[in-house]
Amino acid sequence: MERTSTAAAVAALLAAATLGLAPHQAQAAPAPAAAAAANTRAASPEVRFHDIPGSGGITLKGNVFTPAGAVSGRKYPLIVLPTSWGMPQIEYIAQARKLADSGYVVVSYTSRGFWLSGGQIEVAGPPDIADVSAVIDWALANSPADADHIGLGGVSYGAGISLLASAHDPRVKAVVAMSGWADLIESIYSGRTQHLQAAGMLGAAGYLTGRPGPELQSILGDFLGSRLDREQQMIEWGRKRSAAEQVDRINANGAAVMLGNAWGDTIFPPNQYAKFYERLTGPKRLEFRPGDHATAEGTGLLGLPNDTWTNAHRWFDRYLKGERNGVDSEAPVQIKSRSDDGYEGYADWKSVGSGGTERLALSDSEHLFANVDSGANGGIIFLSSILDQFVKAPPTASIPLLPRAFAAVWQSERYDSPRRVRGTAALHTTVTPTKADGTFVAYLYDVGPLGIGKLVSNAPYTFHDRTPGRAFGVDLDLFSTAYDVPAGHRLALVVDTVDPLYIEHNPTGAQLTFSSPRSDPSYVSVPLREG
């Protein structure tokens, strides 16, 4: 019943937001029936909506949950939750109530530039980071929050802001960052390739729900317009918004950091989180599950049972309350395969592929004509990985039917036992272009007996200013994953030059040759689970 009432409350508040009502407007004087219901829930945490002063004189729209029956003069650990990109302050209502139920003061607020909060969208820039400290200051002055026990958390944009804020505010003792980014450049510009659908979706949502600032408008236009003359400025802009660039400060402040992400996250792929995790020196935890951006924790936002949020609560309880709940004694890297429902624990990220690597030799030379989509694709943002998460139906391609003029294909022999792919597959090859610029996308497929390939992983690669006709080496990490290849199947590496997920840079008439020199053989290295 509690779960149903929480979901109903969230639905009602979302409806109010959709109609353009501010939360405090939707909360006008309660009807007698509502007042009576409130009296029957006297033991429930109290929620109030507030205008919270942000940095630079703006106002942030927020809400505050305090524990039921909070004792006057007693202090309670504080958790601050900045909202996701394009989401209003009611995003975390269900989880904030649960946290307050267990004894926390919880403050959630709409990130600046979105909905009714003031300012412009800064994309986790300095004003956003200053907002977090301003909200903490306000909470300490206006609620029974404990200055010595402060945590930050959030999904997506809220996760990125929380990680960056932990580098600048030493009062933060614990962070839970779900479906976020640590390296913004590696997230949407990996392989020097613009992630078109991801950037386009973020840009559209920003304009629909907020007010992009002039800097963001300029960066977005340059990025989607392939302004190579502005590439370095775009990279520097992204680095200032990447926790990976400030990991030394995070380590010095000593916050306990929990990271969670999905294997198929099409906005913030898992590789960059794994690399960042390895550089953290304080208490830390890394979780990867099937799904796409924010889908692993999405049901928890409605108050439904959710593994990610359950572990987030445990993390806060351990490092803000000091509870000995065992979360710090478990294997710190927890992953769930896309092919299985169980969890696997590892001592660190390097141990995920501890079973060694299997090399698929790319011995045959392949010649491609660019600018034509072969049919091998990474899927559609959100939709494809959600299908993989819930019905185990990743993007597919008929490998024998791929047109060899536009797709290069190499296949392994059939396996007589399962192959448990874990971690980051890596491609090493030699490319000879006919033009100075170009793009290709590499795909790793699980190919069944009928030749239907299920996508295991992929990654794009773009080059500029190369000498036509001159070969050069390429090392490309595919997006990390956990996938079980059944016995009787084989692995295939496919390369083509067009994918709707990415912006491609192949001039008209461009051709690419993939070769394997005897002195530097080409291969794809696939990490496997031990046992």
Side-chain angles (χ1 to χ4, degrees), residues 340-387:
D340 194 1
D341 291 329
Y343 283 92
E344 302 167 8
Y346 298 88
D348 51 35
W349 175 247
K350 294 188 294 292
S351 300
V352 171
S354 59
T357 59
E358 182 166 309
R359 283 195 175 188
L360 171 59
L362 312 179
S363 54
D364 298 328
S365 180
E366 297 282 349
H367 185 81
L368 300 184
F369 292 92
N371 302 307
V372 175
D373 190 342
S374 71
N377 288 313
I380 301 172
I381 188 172
F382 290 129
L383 177 61
S384 297
S385 292
I386 290 175
L387 289 173

Side-chain angles (χ1 to χ4, degrees), residues 9-101:
V10 173
L13 287 166
L14 284 172
T18 303
L19 293 172
L21 298 175
H24 66 273
Q25 291 174 315
Q27 273 216 147
N39 289 333
T40 65
R41 295 194 301 269
S44 297
E46 180 183 13
V47 60
R48 292 183 180 274
F49 293 94
H50 290 276
D51 288 346
I52 302 175
S55 65
I58 72 160
T59 297
L60 301 169
K61 296 293 182 177
N63 58 70
V64 181
F65 275 91
T66 53
V71 178
S72 178
R74 179 180 172 184
K75 298 295 184 181
Y76 299 86
L78 169 67
I79 296 175
V80 175
L81 304 172
T83 59
S84 303
W85 186 270
M87 293 295 289
Q89 57 163 305
I90 59 172
E91 176 184 11
Y92 301 112
I93 286 284
Q95 289 301 323
R97 179 183 176 186
K98 290 176 180 288
L99 287 164
D101 269 334

Side-chain angles (χ1 to χ4, degrees), residues 231-250:
E231 183 181 38
Q232 195 55 44
Q233 289 89 332
M234 288 186 279
I235 290 174
E236 289 303 317
W237 179 86
R239 283 176 175 165
K240 291 177 183 177
R241 290 158 171 80
S242 298
E245 297 291 323
Q246 303 182 40
V247 68
D248 290 342
R249 296 182 66 164
I250 295 173

Side-chain angles (χ1 to χ4, degrees), residues 394-399 445-448 451-455:
T396 60
S398 176
I399 305 304
Y445 282 101
D446 159 25
V447 184
I452 302 299
K454 294 183 177 181
L455 187 65

Side-chain angles (χ1 to χ4, degrees), residues 416-457:
D416 56 6
S417 62
R419 294 294 191 272
R420 295 179 174 86
V421 180
R422 299 291 186 274
T424 309
L427 168 66
H428 175 76
T429 190
T430 297
V431 180
T432 306
T434 60
K435 305 288 185 180
D437 305 317
T439 297
F440 67 86
V441 184
Y443 309 88
L444 187 65
Y445 282 101
D446 159 25
V447 184
L450 298 179
I452 302 299
K454 294 183 177 181
L455 187 65
V456 177
S457 184

Side-chain angles (χ1 to χ4, degrees), residues 67-77 102-105 143-146 321:
V71 178
S72 178
R74 179 180 172 184
K75 298 295 184 181
Y76 299 86
S102 62
Y104 292 96
V105 173
S143 76
D146 186 347
K321 290 182 178 179

